[in-house]
Amino acid sequence: MSREIELDVEVPGTVDEVWEAIATGPGITSWFIPMTVDERIGGEVVMDFGDHGSQTATVTAWEPPNRVVFEGTGARALAYEWLVEARDGGTCIVRLVNSGFGDGADWDGEYEGMSEGWRIFLEHLRLQLTHFRGHHATTATPSVMVPGPNGVAWRSVCAALGIGAELSVGDHVTTGDDTPGLSGVVASMLTSEAARAALFVLDGDVGTAFVSVEGDGDQVAASLYLYSYRADGPDGAAWKSWLTGRFAPPSADAPAVT
């Protein structure tokens, strides 16, 4: 029996503004990952996961400004249904139904990982619509694997960045001198046993960013998500080089540690 992830978030904006953010390529790219969307029934959707490759989907429902469905292709295809409902006071409820997960251990990690990941991204959607509604960002998503478990990985990544591991909403942080440089205010923190994320609004209104550590095994994914609204926003290429250099995987020729 297929499992589903069902989540919702209340966000600022009119239904048309929120629809643009969740149903169009430039809108989605500004809070999730780089995407293109052919905005029609039967249109192609391309999701760019960076070093993890790309995935394609088809638009199977297009009902602006309230409902869109992207149906994935391939053997392990997933479906993404987005619904927008206007509320009084200038806000909307965005609801996601992510379906197509199978049962069994083969699917468990994917289901659990995406459940945690979507909570982070929906919080970032709220942040983007709060601070940059109607504007579009360029997006970079460098990611590496680091030794776990999750709490150890989080402290390791924060230490490398030169920021404290015990962050609170409202803290102002600046990364260390040996990094490409980010500074901003902590706008949100999300913490669970298998995922931690700190979301920032960057100084000078140049963009948003978040650092996340997801997973709780011997190796976990550490990622920087960088959203630039101006030319002087975070440099995705520089950050990718720094992250992969700082957390380079061990050489296959290196002697085993005993």
Side-chain angles (χ1 to χ4, degrees), residues 46-130:
V46 179
M47 298 171 275
D48 181 359
F49 290 95
D51 293 339
H52 302 287
S54 63
Q55 296 179 8
T56 60
T58 301
V59 179
T60 58
W62 183 261
E63 303 168 16
N66 299 112
R67 179 174 179 264
V68 64
V69 178
F70 304 140
E71 294 271 0
T73 59
R76 295 174 70 85
L78 300 175
Y80 310 85
E81 180 182 25
W82 295 94
L83 302 108
V84 182
E85 178 185 347
R87 289 288 180 92
D88 293 336
T91 67
C92 292
I93 297 295
V94 175
R95 181 167 179 255
L96 166 67
V97 181
N98 187 186
S99 60
F101 299 93
D103 286 324
D106 188 43
W107 280 97
D108 288 347
E110 192 164 356
Y111 177 81
E112 293 165 5
M114 291 189 72
S115 296
E116 297 286 1
W118 276 125
R119 288 182 174 87
I120 299 170
F121 281 115
L122 288 179
E123 177 61 14
H124 189 242
L125 170 64
R126 187 191 66 78
L127 194 64
Q128 194 275 338
L129 286 167
T130 299

Side-chain angles (χ1 to χ4, degrees), residues 114-187:
M114 291 189 72
S115 296
E116 297 286 1
W118 276 125
R119 288 182 174 87
I120 299 170
F121 281 115
L122 288 179
E123 177 61 14
H124 189 242
L125 170 64
R126 187 191 66 78
L127 194 64
Q128 194 275 338
L129 286 167
T130 299
H131 295 275
F132 295 100
R133 185 164 65 247
H135 299 280
H136 297 141
T138 58
T139 302
T141 60
S143 179
V144 292
M145 299 302 292
V146 302
N150 191 274
V152 171
W154 176 256
R155 290 189 292 273
S156 176
V157 170
C158 288
L161 289 169
I163 63 176
E166 302 299 327
L167 297 170
S168 299
V169 172
D171 287 350
H172 185 273
V173 299
T174 300
T175 59
D177 292 340
D178 64 335
T179 73
L182 284 178
S183 61
V185 174
V186 179

Side-chain angles (χ1 to χ4, degrees), residues 222-255:
S223 306
L224 287 171
Y225 290 86
L226 308 166
Y227 303 84
S228 301
Y229 290 86
R230 296 191 340 213
D232 57 346
D235 185 334
W239 273 106
K240 179 178 179 179
S241 178
W242 178 87
L243 190 65
T244 55
R246 185 63 178 78
F247 293 98
S251 168
D253 297 327

Side-chain angles (χ1 to χ4, degrees), residues 1-91:
M1 178 175 162
S2 178
R3 290 179 282 183
E4 296 181 341
I5 297 169
E6 295 189 31
L7 297 168
D8 60 65
V9 62
E10 185 170 5
V11 299
T14 67
V15 68
D16 290 321
E17 290 171 328
V18 176
W19 170 262
E20 195 275 341
I22 60 97
T24 72
I28 299 168
T29 298
S30 298
W31 60 270
F32 183 37
I33 59 171
M35 283 182 61
T36 60
V37 179
D38 184 359
E39 301 172 18
R40 61 180 178 87
I41 293 287
E44 183 182 57
V45 179
V46 179
M47 298 171 275
D48 181 359
F49 290 95
D51 293 339
H52 302 287
S54 63
Q55 296 179 8
T56 60
T58 301
V59 179
T60 58
W62 183 261
E63 303 168 16
N66 299 112
R67 179 174 179 264
V68 64
V69 178
F70 304 140
E71 294 271 0
T73 59
R76 295 174 70 85
L78 300 175
Y80 310 85
E81 180 182 25
W82 295 94
L83 302 108
V84 182
E85 178 185 347
R87 289 288 180 92
D88 293 336
T91 67

Side-chain angles (χ1 to χ4, degrees), residues 168-215:
S168 299
V169 172
D171 287 350
H172 185 273
V173 299
T174 300
T175 59
D177 292 340
D178 64 335
T179 73
L182 284 178
S183 61
V185 174
V186 179
S188 187
M189 293 290 302
L190 296 176
T191 303
S192 70
E193 288 185 4
R196 298 168 196 260
L199 293 80
F200 308 95
V201 175
L202 301 178
D203 293 344
D205 291 331
V206 298
T208 60
F210 62 88
V211 55
S212 69
V213 173
E214 298 171 65

